[in-house]
Amino acid sequence: MIANVIVDVASQNTNRPFDYEIPEKFEGIVQPGVRVIVPFGPRKILGYVISLSETSSFSSVKKITDVLDVIPTLTQELLHLGKWLSNYTLSYYISCLQVMLPQVMKAKYRKELWKLSDEPLDSALDAVFDGRGVMDFEEFEQSGISYHILRKHMNEGEVDVHYEVKSRETKKLKAVVAPAVSPIDMEEKLEDLPPQAKKQRAIVEYFLQQPEPLDKKRLLDHLQTTPAALKPLVEQNVLKEYKQEVFRDPYGGREFKRTTPFTLTDEQETAIRPILSTIEKQEHDVFLLHGVTGSGKTEVYMQSIQQVLDKGEEAIMLVPEIALTPQMVERFKGRFGSKVAVLHSALSAGEKYDEWRKIQRQEVQVVVGARSAIFAPFTNLGLIIIDEEHETSYKQEDRTRYHARDVAVQRAKTHHCPVVLGSATPSLETYARAAKGNYQLLTLSKRMNEAVMPEVELVDMREELHSGNRSMFSIPLKEKIEERLARKEQVVLFLNRRGYSTFVMCRDCGHVSECPHCDIALTYHKRQNRLKCHYCSHEEPMPEKCPECESKTIRYFGTGTQKVEEALQELIPEARIIRMDVDTTRRKGAHERLLTQFGEGKADILLGTQMIAKGLDFGNVTLVGVLAADAMLNLPDFRASEKTFQLLTQVSGRAGRHEKSGEVVVQTYTPEHYSIELASTYDYEQFFQEEMKLRKAFRYPPYYYLTLFTISHPNQLKAEEATRKITMFMQQKLSGQAHVLGPTPSALARINNRYRYQCMVKYKKEPEQRKFVERILHYYEDEMKQENGLQITVDFQPYQLM
DNA sequence: TTGGTGATGCAC
DNA sequence: TGCATCACCAAA
């Protein structure tokens, strides 16, 4: 039998299966999806068996060296999905297979030098061996001994270079103690024990009562003793001690309050019915659950999942990374108990691996996780849910540039099951599809418990400035914060850190310099003191005064959380503030700890970035402040308005979720901007209409699809030249309907001393496009291999345009 | 991607 | 001529 193997070498020439003979001892074990170690050239590497065949067209096949799995790591479905993913993202098959698995399952390679004879070698070499038989090859390289000497010894058969493939997987073990002899022998032993050996007696007595193996630590704790008492018993073979694998449980030792399904409101009932019937009929369909914040989307998800579980099938629920708050986990663990696995980036590599294996062993039926959880190795998927569907974290922005939504639909098609996309502020793409009838639209327009959306007050910061307030806190916001402090209520203050010092605005009239061709804020380039558009090649000098009102207060913008915290403390000295940003939450568990503190009322104000915009549910929060609503609005991104609207809506949803009603203060320099104005009245529909007009006029999604080439090279001219060629090639090959823009310097014009240029394709339908892109990549293959050569990345449907 | 191979160039 | 470095190519 022959195994067709995808090897762990990401390159153009190896992006196809290699044939290996299956040695007799591995017959029946080697099957599609199993990881194997195979000889490849002079070394040994990891590979994935994708299929078996009777014969090979290749004349001299080598044998599989070793097999790493008993159960296949990848299911047949995931192998196919990987193939699809590699076509869809134009990346190597091996990269796609790796992206579906936990990090620890990637191989670790070691190159070693082995000494084979006892004879003395070259004295310098012997000195490095220092009496050992094996050393890391790196040690040899660092010793500076010439390869000549090595070669000579190798020819003599005295040393050899050895390649090791190691799995990074580590299994956590715990010590277990169990009786090694029969109860009768134990009783005998008990009598033999000297009377002063009280602790030993206690241990033996314990096992006489209950002979089951027991965790060593628990045994010692239970009997209030130490390993010293256990040791003689093990040595005399009365008891035995051995290691047993335990699954790391990130939520171990925690009690989750069981919850039962709520009675659905009429609206929820109407929304869930089509989902349930699709699950029942085993059909594929995509639903958009459009529900205002606090409308009980989660309950609809959970009851849909329940239906899937009742049928004996499994469900995946994706949530954005930052929304995977303990509160969310609690709700799922509370409802589904041990049927749930949780996968997100805050888990350690080992924890992720163990959660993943729970899925693989079919020990759980529900996965709640971030983007990559979409690859959960379930075999009977009955439902996929993507919560906060509009979140950009569902798009992977490196190597295998996939969108979890697309993968979800792909998997759901194979499993004949529905996909539910949920959001209070759906992405325009999704809402447009729902409006066209491609997706089924389900709406929840009312908050639960008859709560109303909090009142939003827009504060015009230009007026604040005119009245002499130069601080970042408006008078109304300051007053309202003080009011809450007096009432012992809590405040959430939100600051966008994105958009730091990049856009230019007039502090007097709010005028923002925009590109005349793109309706996008210009980016300020400090070095040349010029404004540039990041989509087309437009640029202009940084204005001395506002072109609109001639004021001289025009300048670039940006503020960090730390500065805000200091200013706030100065403004309201008695306030107890918790700051949450990348700096304060870097440490493991810090995120959760800070939130718990806030929840327990140990602080009055929670100040933070994006990460506090989602999922928080604290009843005592009655005021939410947005410090700079414009910050995001002026990013060089055609989705800037959409993101602003989404963010303001999400943040507003944090206030007044329970009995106490909430209030929101939004500070802005452009209160008249449609995305800010419409967010303040929670008018999604109107916002959608407005934004769609612009998208249409400027040929952006959902009217057009985008393909973004980013080309970089240490030499600016080279980068630009290659981009120009690519642009021209695409222009030539694509139909007249496509718009090919470029070459344009990237918004991040230089990273790591590489100059970056872009080419953007806007198109409606170009079925041949991938072929042309492949030709480009093939054409530049050689130049891309060089270390300091060209680098070309292609992103189909990019989210990150920088 | 890695490592062996043959070509090339430099110092003696 | 000997040795180091480099570009190239194959990997089952």
Side-chain angles (χ1 to χ4, degrees):
Chain A
M1 279 297 267
I2 299 294
N4 312 116
V5 176
I6 296 295
V7 293
D8 183 17
V9 176
S11 85
Q12 201 71 247
N13 337 312
T14 52
N15 193 27
R16 60 203 156 82
F18 285 76
D19 292 349
Y20 288 91
E21 197 187 314
I22 303 171
E24 224 171 288
K25 57 177 171 177
F26 294 140
E27 258 172 45
I29 300 171
V30 173
Q31 43 182 314
V34 155
R35 293 174 305 155
V36 290
I37 294 170
V38 290
F40 197 67
R43 52 201 176 117
K44 288 201 168 57
I45 57 171
L46 182 90
Y48 295 84
V49 176
I50 56 158
S51 53
L52 302 182
S53 53
E54 297 281 323
T55 54
S56 170
S57 55
F58 195 78
S59 55
S60 61
V61 290
K62 291 186 181 173
K63 281 184 180 153
I64 288 175
T65 308
D66 212 347
V67 183
L68 293 181
D69 303 316
V70 185
I71 326 167
T73 287
L74 291 159
T75 60
Q76 211 37 270
E77 184 219 347
L78 290 178
L79 287 171
H80 281 134
L81 189 69
K83 190 72 208 157
W84 170 84
L85 193 61
S86 100
N87 287 329
Y88 159 83
T89 59
L90 285 190
S91 41
Y92 304 127
Y93 195 2
I94 184 69
S95 315
C96 293
L97 296 181
Q98 312 252 41
V99 85
M100 305 197 286
L101 299 173
Q103 276 296 313
V104 287
M105 301 192 76
K106 280 203 207 160
K108 208 161 62 179
Y109 297 104
R110 254 172 80 94
K111 189 177 177 184
E112 294 166 335
L113 195 57
W114 288 29
K115 184 173 173 177
L116 303 176
S117 85
D118 297 331
E119 304 295 308
L121 310 170
D122 172 273
S123 60
L125 190 56
D126 264 334
V128 187
F129 266 114
D130 194 24
R132 293 170 300 173
V134 188
M135 69 170 159
D136 215 294
F137 196 79
E138 236 171 66
E139 288 183 64
F140 166 77
E141 282 180 315
Q142 279 166 8
S143 70
I145 299 171
S146 105
Y147 280 79
H148 242 86
I149 294 169
L150 181 68
R151 180 78 59 82
K152 203 179 73 206
H153 286 302
M154 277 174 74
N155 289 340
E156 296 290 319
E158 291 159 334
V159 297
D160 195 16
V161 176
H162 194 91
Y163 298 91
E164 277 277 327
V165 186
K166 282 209 177 105
S167 160
R168 293 169 201 256
E169 301 144 60
T170 55
K171 289 172 184 170
K172 194 175 172 184
L173 302 172
K174 68 173 179 192
V176 181
V177 181
V181 293
S182 69
I184 299 166
D185 291 342
M186 274 204 284
E187 279 194 51
E188 206 168 287
K189 175 70 194 169
L190 197 60
E191 281 164 27
D192 291 350
L193 277 174
Q196 67 271 29
K198 281 194 198 129
K199 291 295 182 186
Q200 288 193 45
R201 298 188 84 88
I203 295 173
V204 179
E205 273 163 4
Y206 176 86
F207 279 109
L208 273 170
Q209 280 199 349
Q210 94 58 46
E212 296 300 307
L214 184 76
D215 187 304
K216 180 178 172 187
K217 197 166 171 294
R218 277 182 57 192
L219 174 76
L220 299 181
D221 283 353
H222 179 70
L223 297 176
Q224 296 273 313
T225 180
T226 58
L230 187 62
K231 213 174 148 205
L233 292 170
V234 174
E235 275 169 1
Q236 291 160 45
N237 280 326
V238 180
L239 298 176
K240 57 186 175 190
E241 187 183 325
Y242 54 92
K243 302 276 186 203
Q244 192 179 55
E245 192 194 345
V246 277
F247 282 89
R248 279 158 280 223
D249 184 356
Y251 300 95
R254 271 251 291 271
E255 288 288 318
F256 292 97
K257 214 197 284 162
R258 287 301 283 202
T259 65
T260 43
F262 303 145
T263 312
L264 297 179
T265 64
D266 289 352
E267 247 189 0
Q268 286 173 320
E269 193 62 56
T270 316
I272 202 173
R273 212 167 294 134
I275 301 175
L276 296 183
S277 97
T278 310
I279 294 170
E280 207 45 57
K281 284 187 276 182
Q282 310 244 21
E283 282 173 359
H284 169 65
D285 207 343
V286 181
F287 296 95
L288 168 58
L289 180 59
H290 180 206
V292 297
T293 55
S295 61
K297 290 190 286 292
T298 312
E299 190 57 35
V300 173
Y301 300 151
M302 291 201 287
Q303 297 200 13
S304 304
I305 292 172
Q306 189 58 57
Q307 162 106 350
V308 169
L309 296 185
D310 292 346
K311 278 188 72 192
E313 297 177 336
E314 300 121 4
I316 296 175
M317 159 122 169
L318 296 188
V319 292
E321 194 69 68
I322 37 180
L324 250 177
T325 55
Q327 287 183 350
M328 175 65 97
V329 172
E330 211 162 301
R331 290 178 77 174
F332 273 80
K333 289 262 183 185
R335 182 69 59 86
F336 302 112
S338 59
K339 292 194 171 79
V340 187
V342 179
L343 282 169
H344 60 93
S345 65
L347 302 183
S348 74
E351 285 170 341
K352 265 186 230 166
Y353 174 55
D354 285 358
E355 290 290 293
W356 186 87
R357 281 193 305 156
K358 278 191 212 160
I359 306 166
Q360 195 199 23
R361 298 174 173 211
Q362 328 252 334
E363 286 167 14
V364 293
Q365 286 73 45
V366 182
V367 168
V368 181
R371 182 178 61 230
S372 62
I374 194 60
F375 298 111
F378 281 137
T379 48
N380 276 309
L381 260 180
L383 174 66
I384 301 174
I385 296 167
I386 303 186
D387 188 30
E388 309 282 3
E389 164 280 331
H390 59 277
E391 275 295 317
T392 51
S393 67
Y394 289 128
K395 176 70 199 293
Q396 168 134 24
E397 289 291 352
D398 58 3
R399 283 181 292 283
T400 313
R401 298 164 185 271
Y402 70 92
H403 197 297
R405 199 198 292 136
D406 300 333
V407 180
V409 170
Q410 192 62 25
R411 287 199 80 179
K413 277 181 184 162
T414 1
H415 285 275
H416 308 287
C417 76
V419 173
V420 177
L421 306 173
S423 177
T425 51
S427 65
L428 286 226
E429 284 91 333
T430 298
Y431 199 78
R433 282 189 190 136
K436 267 176 78 181
N438 293 347
Y439 295 167
Q440 278 200 53
L441 180 63
L442 311 168
T443 310
L444 300 176
S445 57
K446 296 189 208 88
R447 280 191 136 182
M448 291 195 306
N449 315 323
E450 274 152 52
V452 286
M453 290 303 285
E455 194 75 28
V456 179
E457 181 181 345
L458 296 180
V459 177
D460 189 337
M461 293 303 276
R462 293 168 302 190
E463 281 173 21
E464 287 286 314
L465 190 71
H466 285 152
S467 58
N469 178 7
R470 299 192 148 267
S471 87
M472 43 193 134
F473 303 97
S474 61
I475 305 292
L477 180 59
K478 181 184 182 240
E479 283 172 354
K480 284 185 201 293
I481 294 175
E482 285 170 336
E483 211 177 282
R484 307 299 137 145
L485 294 193
R487 276 195 265 155
K488 304 256 179 275
E489 292 173 353
Q490 289 175 300
V491 181
V492 168
L493 285 186
F494 181 79
L495 176 79
N496 301 42
R497 272 218 317 195
R498 295 232 190 106
Y500 193 88
S501 296
T502 51
F503 73 99
V504 164
M505 181 166 74
C506 170
R507 296 255 285 176
D508 255 317
C509 72
H511 167 82
V512 171
S513 294
E514 286 180 357
C515 173
H517 312 299
C518 303
D519 193 42
I520 289 286
L522 289 170
T523 306
Y524 175 60
H525 287 244
K526 201 169 184 176
R527 282 214 318 184
Q528 298 125 316
N529 199 36
R530 288 173 77 80
L531 301 177
K532 293 185 180 179
C533 172
H534 142 66
Y535 288 112
C536 67
S537 4
H538 175 85
E539 59 176 279
E540 58 189 59
M542 167 77 186
E544 299 271 301
K545 56 189 180 189
C546 174
E548 207 68 28
C549 71
E550 311 230 309
S551 155
K552 287 205 168 161
T553 58
I554 186 158
R555 55 183 51 117
Y556 52 87
F557 250 68
T559 326
T561 33
Q562 203 160 354
K563 254 162 89 184
V564 176
E565 187 186 10
E566 286 163 19
L568 181 62
Q569 199 69 76
E570 202 171 303
L571 190 72
I572 311 174
E574 73 274 19
R576 295 168 303 161
I577 306 168
I578 288 182
R579 173 163 65 95
M580 272 184 84
D581 57 22
V582 253
D583 295 330
T584 60
T585 55
R586 206 188 320 259
R587 291 233 318 280
K588 196 175 163 178
H591 188 257
E592 187 176 354
R593 200 177 56 246
L594 292 176
L595 285 182
T596 311
Q597 281 175 14
F598 187 66
E600 288 167 353
K602 290 184 179 147
D604 310 302
I605 301 174
L606 180 67
L607 167 68
T609 54
Q610 326 291 97
M611 61 180 75
I612 62 168
K614 285 177 195 67
L616 302 193
D617 192 350
F618 295 115
N620 202 29
V621 172
T622 58
L623 175 66
V624 167
V626 178
L627 295 175
D630 320 69
M632 194 176 252
L633 198 53
N634 296 297
L635 281 176
D637 180 345
F638 72 90
R639 282 184 243 263
S641 299
E642 182 183 349
K643 285 181 183 164
T644 302
F645 182 88
Q646 287 164 349
L647 198 71
L648 290 180
T649 310
Q650 299 289 348
V651 175
S652 304
R654 297 311 113 215
R657 294 177 70 92
H658 298 272
E659 301 79 38
K660 295 172 185 166
S661 64
E663 222 180 332
V664 179
V665 174
V666 175
Q667 300 190 154
T668 167
Y669 286 89
T670 48
E672 67 279 3
H673 190 283
Y674 65 97
S675 69
I676 293 178
E677 205 182 326
L678 292 171
S680 77
T681 53
Y682 303 103
D683 194 344
Y684 178 83
E685 185 62 35
Q686 187 62 34
F687 171 77
F688 176 76
Q689 299 299 345
E690 291 290 323
E691 185 66 14
M692 285 295 271
K693 280 186 221 154
L694 289 174
R695 298 291 179 89
K696 191 173 187 181
F698 291 99
R699 301 198 183 99
Y700 279 119
Y703 288 97
Y704 282 76
Y705 292 109
L706 301 181
T707 301
L708 181 70
F709 291 83
T710 305
I711 292 102
S712 72
H713 194 279
N715 180 324
Q716 187 172 2
L717 288 174
K718 279 245 170 84
E720 195 190 354
E721 179 51 32
T723 314
R724 188 183 309 280
K725 268 170 107 174
I726 289 170
T727 310
M728 275 162 55
F729 179 80
M730 289 302 279
Q731 217 146 31
Q732 239 175 55
K733 293 293 177 191
L734 295 181
S735 76
Q737 263 99 55
H739 299 262
V740 188
L741 308 172
T744 315
S746 167
L748 296 161
R750 194 171 63 150
I751 296 179
N752 282 334
N753 288 321
R754 298 181 69 96
Y755 289 88
R756 306 169 80 240
Y757 279 80
Q758 298 186 330
C759 162
M760 187 185 279
V761 183
K762 299 178 179 180
Y763 67 99
K764 292 220 168 193
K765 202 173 176 211
E766 298 291 337
E768 305 274 276
Q769 185 188 213
R770 276 182 168 69
K771 230 189 272 170
F772 303 134
V773 177
E774 270 184 311
R775 270 169 61 184
I776 290 172
L777 293 177
H778 188 75
Y779 177 83
Y780 285 107
E781 208 184 309
D782 291 343
E783 281 181 70
M784 284 165 64
K785 269 187 196 162
Q786 292 154 34
E787 198 177 329
N788 258 333
L790 212 54
Q791 211 179 68
I792 304 176
T793 60
V794 188
D795 195 338
F796 299 100
Q797 298 166 57
Y799 273 71
Q800 185 92 346
L801 296 158
M802 299 196 264

